[in-house]
Amino acid sequence: MIRNSIQTKPALIRPSDAAAWVSCVRKAWLDQHQPALYEPDDFNRMLSTMGLEHEAAILAKLESQYPVSKATSFEHTQVLIQQGAPVIYQGQLIDEQLGLVGYPDFLIRHESGHYQPADAKLSSSENKKAIQIQLGIYRRLLANRLPAIVFLGDGRTAFLGDEVNAIVDDFIASIRTILDLPQPPSVRYSHSKCRICPYIDYCRPDFEALEDISLLYGIHGKAADHLAEFGINTISQLAVSSAESLPDVPYLKGHKRKHRAILQANSYLNGDIFQLDQAPLPEGTWIHFDIEDNPLTSNRERHVYLWGFLLPPYTKDRFDYVWTDDESHDFDGWLGFLSKIEAYRIDYPSLKLAHYSNHERATIQRYAERYAMNNHPTVSWLLGGNSPLFDIQKPILDCLILPLQGYGLKDICKHPGLVNFQWENKDSGSQWSVVQFNRFQTEDNAIEKQRLKTEILGYNRDDVIATRKLEEWLKSLFAQSPAPHR
Ligand code: SF4
């Protein structure tokens, strides 16, 4: 829902504007002028709870070392600073002249008598732009040269000093101009950002009415800007172009990419499927494979809690898996996965392990490195030149143009005109699975714990059934052997 409440006073710049600005300048404007009222989803609620728990843990640690005073207002923060309080919790800083306001989690008194701002962040990296801007603004409000402190989610403590000044300057100059605009700034569509943005219902009709070229899969906003300079502003205009007539522009260079863009425009307009080439699908016995992993571990190394498989003849009861209750059993899960592979290799000599996207292979590589097992015979086979791993997404990206804005497994499988496979649990997804697993870990009731585990297993089982349905759909599509659109 969009609330229409245009502010008339020039807005103070808040460090929290940085996250929106980094993601989309239009979002930064809307957040200030027409904030969307929306309910965060379970995943974001979980992140928020974990963020508060992390902050509370840092607070407890500081309290064990220093007296901590809680600030209740801008004025009270200044009083505490004047008094030289060792640690000020939830400080409030404002500088009307600079037009800046900030709420650092902690202000920590340095031996010089000045204060260092500090924030607790769930992230494991201090190099994210939004974090650098936020902490950089706190430094500006404190007007000293001391570095800001970041208590990161992986347990590290990082420092941000003058090196963040340039990006803070860029942010302040840009955000002032943006917030002063009478209308939200025009931007290009970005599927990865827009589909999870609370303003999508506000923005999408405009993109569609304009037939904005950036709505097309594979067309970067900058490519759309450059095409507009050559008079190609709409999807319809692109659809009737020829690859030869299109200029080489950033993110859209060469005949192949331009040809794909034109077909993608036609697919968007008419729902057509185009086959560019014959897809090389491997022979052998396919076992479908998908993992569920948790990024929110204590050391931020992803823990695979479920390694799932679908075996021939691919009925529901042929779902097989390795499960671990928590990250302390990470190594056991990895060894369990390797033993499953060894058993399948014996049972199915022409085994192909089919998965969607590079995530499964990259995860096996990470685990091999984590446990120094690159030379293990099964690992060498999985990652070597004769690997049984087969990424089904690759022939799709190489050979097909589909009427989609994203080429993820669920985009293709759920589409009624494509694979048309629906997950039993309509709310499920990879973030949903992480939320259920984190609930599972903290749940004491054995019955509820089992229910959560069953739900996660059901979701993973549907993922591997989906890749099987995708295999069947691809094979039937390629068997029809339409004339390739080269
Ligand atoms: S929907 Fe897209 S364009 Fe609109 S504010 Fe969100 S990210 Fe920006």
Side-chain angles (χ1 to χ4, degrees), residues 289 291 293 301-302 304 307 330 334 337-338 355 358-376 378-385 387 389:
F289 167 46
I291 60 171
D293 55 2
E301 280 191 345
R302 283 177 171 265
V304 177
W307 309 77
D330 190 65
W334 165 240
F337 162 71
L338 292 178
H355 55 97
N358 191 44
H359 185 55
E360 277 68 19
R361 176 184 278 273
T363 299
I364 293 169
Q365 180 72 60
R366 261 201 306 277
Y367 267 74
E369 282 159 19
R370 186 178 300 172
Y371 295 114
M373 286 174 69
N374 272 305
N375 294 327
H376 184 283
T378 306
V379 175
S380 301
W381 180 57
L382 285 168
L383 298 175
S387 172
L389 290 167

Side-chain angles (χ1 to χ4, degrees), residues 136 139-140 145 161-170:
R139 290 184 75 228
R140 219 152 270 202
R145 303 284 305 275
D162 287 345
E163 71 278 8
V164 302
N165 286 348
I167 190 168
V168 173
D169 288 340
D170 279 357

Side-chain angles (χ1 to χ4, degrees), residues 47-94:
L47 287 183
S48 171
T49 304
M50 291 177 83
L52 292 173
E53 287 168 359
H54 178 49
E55 183 184 313
I58 300 293
L59 173 63
K61 200 168 163 191
L62 289 170
E63 280 175 332
S64 71
Q65 299 167 26
Y66 315 96
V68 174
S69 314
K70 186 172 177 190
T72 53
S73 65
F74 295 115
E75 296 74 20
H76 186 218
T77 304
Q78 288 309 314
V79 170
L80 291 169
I81 287 175
Q82 301 297 329
Q83 291 172 347
V87 176
I88 301 169
Y89 178 49
Q90 294 183 339
Q92 301 183 27
L93 304 170
I94 189 165

Side-chain angles (χ1 to χ4, degrees), residues 143-179:
N144 66 48
R145 303 284 305 275
L146 292 171
I149 303 169
V150 197
F151 299 113
L152 292 159
D154 61 1
R156 285 188 309 117
T157 299
F159 296 89
L160 296 171
D162 287 345
E163 71 278 8
V164 302
N165 286 348
I167 190 168
V168 173
D169 288 340
D170 279 357
F171 166 70
I172 291 174
S174 164
I175 196 89
R176 277 202 209 293
T177 313
I178 290 160
L179 296 184

Side-chain angles (χ1 to χ4, degrees), residues 23-28 30 187-190 193-195 197-204 207:
S23 161
C24 170
V25 293
R26 185 175 169 93
K27 182 169 189 300
L30 289 167
V187 296
R188 294 292 181 179
Y189 181 79
S190 158
K193 292 173 185 170
C194 295
R195 74 193 164 91
C197 176
Y199 299 106
I200 183 63
D201 291 342
Y202 179 89
C203 297
R204 193 175 175 96
F207 287 122

Side-chain angles (χ1 to χ4, degrees), residues 107-357:
L107 292 168
I108 300 175
R109 192 170 187 271
H110 185 259
E111 59 192 17
S112 62
H114 297 294
Y115 279 83
Q116 286 181 278
D119 259 6
K121 298 286 183 199
L122 273 188
S123 168
S124 56
S125 171
E126 68 276 27
N127 295 322
K128 291 190 171 157
K129 275 188 189 175
I131 291 179
Q132 296 190 336
I133 294 168
Q134 192 165 2
L135 275 292
I137 285 188
Y138 298 154
R139 290 184 75 228
R140 219 152 270 202
L141 283 161
L142 287 164
N144 66 48
R145 303 284 305 275
L146 292 171
I149 303 169
V150 197
F151 299 113
L152 292 159
D154 61 1
R156 285 188 309 117
T157 299
F159 296 89
L160 296 171
D162 287 345
E163 71 278 8
V164 302
N165 286 348
I167 190 168
V168 173
D169 288 340
D170 279 357
F171 166 70
I172 291 174
S174 164
I175 196 89
R176 277 202 209 293
T177 313
I178 290 160
L179 296 184
D180 285 347
L181 292 171
Q183 298 292 330
S186 293
V187 296
R188 294 292 181 179
Y189 181 79
S190 158
H191 191 59
S192 60
K193 292 173 185 170
C194 295
R195 74 193 164 91
I196 52 168
C197 176
Y199 299 106
I200 183 63
D201 291 342
Y202 179 89
C203 297
R204 193 175 175 96
D206 287 350
F207 287 122
E208 289 179 344
L210 293 168
E211 277 196 29
D212 194 305
I213 290 175
S214 60
L215 283 167
L216 298 175
Y217 174 78
I219 302 287
H220 194 283
K222 287 201 169 65
D225 288 344
H226 286 284
L227 288 176
E229 287 168 15
F230 289 91
I232 299 167
N233 288 293
T234 67
I235 294 173
S236 293
Q237 287 173 324
L238 181 61
V240 294
S241 304
S242 68
E244 292 73 24
S245 70
L246 289 184
D248 266 350
V249 298
Y251 299 96
L252 193 60
K253 288 188 176 148
H255 183 276
K256 194 174 165 191
R257 295 193 79 165
K258 289 185 237 176
H259 181 53
R260 288 190 67 107
I262 292 164
L263 292 179
Q264 194 66 63
N266 281 283
S267 185
Y268 177 93
L269 293 172
N270 308 316
D272 293 337
I273 298 171
F274 296 100
Q275 187 177 338
L276 301 169
D277 218 332
Q278 283 297 331
L281 298 179
E283 297 294 325
T285 306
W286 287 36
I287 285 182
H288 291 265
F289 167 46
D290 182 70
I291 60 171
E292 306 298 330
D293 55 2
N294 181 21
L296 301 167
T297 58
S298 51
N299 61 6
R300 294 295 183 270
E301 280 191 345
R302 283 177 171 265
H303 162 59
V304 177
Y305 49 92
L306 177 53
W307 309 77
F309 310 93
L310 187 68
L311 313 184
Y314 312 112
T315 45
K316 267 187 184 182
D317 58 346
R318 295 293 285 156
F319 175 59
D320 195 11
Y321 64 89
V322 176
W323 169 276
T324 45
D325 278 356
D326 57 55
E327 65 195 76
S328 71
H329 296 100
D330 190 65
F331 187 52
D332 299 336
W334 165 240
L335 291 183
F337 162 71
L338 292 178
S339 355
K340 285 270 181 212
I341 297 299
E342 283 149 22
Y344 298 154
R345 194 178 181 183
I346 293 166
D347 291 347
Y348 307 101
S350 62
L351 171 66
K352 293 292 163 213
L353 267 181
H355 55 97
Y356 197 86
S357 89

Side-chain angles (χ1 to χ4, degrees), residues 41-53 122 295-296 431 434-435:
D41 60 19
D42 283 352
F43 184 72
N44 281 301
R45 254 197 294 271
M46 183 184 79
L47 287 183
S48 171
T49 304
M50 291 177 83
L52 292 173
E53 287 168 359
L122 273 188
L296 301 167
Q431 289 190 345
V434 171
V435 172

